[in-house]
Amino acid sequence: MFSTVIRVVLLTIASQMATITTRVTCSLDGLFHQATALEVGIMMALFAFIPALFSIQIGQWVDRVGAKWPIFVGLSLISISISVPLLFPADTFGLIPLYASCSINGLGMIFTVITCQQLVGHVSDAKNRTNNFAIMAMGYSSASLLAPIATGWFIDHIGHQSAYQFGFGCVALGFLLYLAFQSIIPRSWNRPQRQGRSSSWELFKIPHVRNVLIASSFMSMAWDLQSFMIPVYGTSIGLSASEVGWLLGAFSGATFFVRLLMPMIAKRLTEWRIIACAFGFGTLAYCLFPLFENFYLLMGVTFLLGMALGASQPNVMSLLHTETPPGRQGEAIGLRTMLINVCHTILPLVFGAAGAVIGAGAVFYVVSALMGGVTVFTSKCQKKSQEVLNEHG
């Protein structure tokens, strides 16, 4: 079973590297061709626009047909998305191919992400499910570490087209792994179909679930800002594409590192306390970011931010399973996915417009203030959770 999880994680890493390479290259390619912060924001929003609309329907289709077809469709869409700027370079065709690439890439990503997550859960049991998902999260962090660094190197030394070619090589590797791992990819999940439907928004009426979803949405906002504004801010202060890639890579490396430490941290702190600390350190990092233009100081601030945000996701998932009524955990995760994709769609537009009006550095201060408020909110959630435990204890 463990070997099966490792194979799924390898497939996930290949597809994620292709997706991240496309995302970073499109933003830097657009900036190279004089795109404004708002135009780059539109590109980043397009990555999540279709997933925000159809993530629940895609998840329902995955439930019905198993893993084989959704993974194939996802890899195919990712390969098409990378082919668009290769065949229609921005030098000749402007920003339109980049917009198209972002749209198709986001759709392909949601197919592979939902299916691979379901596949890991399918091959796990109650004893090892948390550890298996932690391994998958480290796979995501590895892809997020390697892809931006490699992308920046290719752009600086060979050009933007070479970065797209690297991304195409990653998705080609994903296809090879998909063919090699056919024996572990089920055609169906061999489980009963859900009977009856109820609105997922009813979960918002449950206070503890609502609090987790609110915290998750604001954490998604913080995550979106770093992936979008670091390239914009880095370019504005004269950093090279490689340096921007290293900053994004430092963030991902920090998320990997903190997830390795999570078993030890979880023994000493509750989920809500870890989330509150994550928002607190995130507030500090975003406040510090626009104060520096030195690459190495920015690396340190970015690493601090990655440690903060990377610690939040496993604990949000744990709280969702703890606070959600029995039998509705998957529904809650689907609702969380929709909210995150809505954030991915709207927030880059907001950040891009704000960056164009008040400057890239000022946007960091605005988000820092918002995160400070959420730090207070999550601290109160911790107190309420402790009160409930005391009442039942």
Side-chain angles (χ1 to χ4, degrees), residues 54-240:
F54 299 114
S55 59
I56 290 178
Q57 290 87 338
I58 291 172
Q60 291 170 344
W61 184 63
V62 172
D63 278 336
R64 292 196 303 270
V65 304
K68 285 186 180 291
W69 275 109
I71 292 176
F72 178 79
V73 171
L75 292 173
S76 298
L77 288 171
I78 293 172
S79 63
I80 292 171
S81 74
I82 303 174
S83 299
V84 171
L86 277 173
L87 297 174
F88 305 97
D91 287 337
T92 304
F93 296 93
L95 301 180
I96 298 300
L98 303 184
Y99 292 140
S101 177
C102 294
S103 301
I104 302 169
N105 194 279
L107 183 60
M109 176 198 68
I110 205 67
F111 274 100
T112 57
V113 166
I114 289 177
T115 309
C116 288
Q117 287 180 351
Q118 287 215 36
L119 187 51
V120 168
H122 178 70
V123 301
S124 304
D125 55 35
K127 293 181 180 179
N128 59 25
R129 186 169 288 116
T130 300
N131 290 335
N132 288 343
F133 275 114
I135 293 170
M136 176 171 247
M138 287 188 283
Y140 287 134
S141 296
S142 299
S144 300
L145 170 64
L146 297 174
I149 294 173
T151 300
W153 187 92
F154 276 107
I155 291 174
D156 278 344
H157 291 84
I158 308 177
H160 292 88
Q161 291 296 95
S162 67
Y164 292 121
Q165 291 167 0
F166 170 72
F168 198 87
C170 291
V171 76
L173 175 61
F175 270 115
L176 291 175
L177 293 172
Y178 170 76
L179 294 174
F181 300 156
Q182 285 291 301
S183 61
I184 67 162
I185 303 177
R187 295 184 180 274
S188 66
W189 303 109
N190 295 319
R191 61 192 182 196
Q193 295 290 325
R194 176 182 171 186
Q195 300 298 322
R197 299 287 176 184
S198 59
S199 173
S200 299
W201 298 101
E202 292 177 1
L203 292 171
F204 266 103
K205 297 178 181 179
I206 305 171
H208 294 304
V209 176
R210 182 173 64 245
N211 291 342
V212 176
L213 292 172
I214 289 172
S216 177
S217 297
F218 275 97
M219 193 59 71
S220 176
M221 172 200 71
W223 202 289
D224 271 352
L225 180 65
Q226 65 82 26
S227 65
F228 166 57
M229 289 303 296
I230 285 178
V232 173
Y233 180 72
T235 300
S236 71
I237 62 175
L239 297 184
S240 67

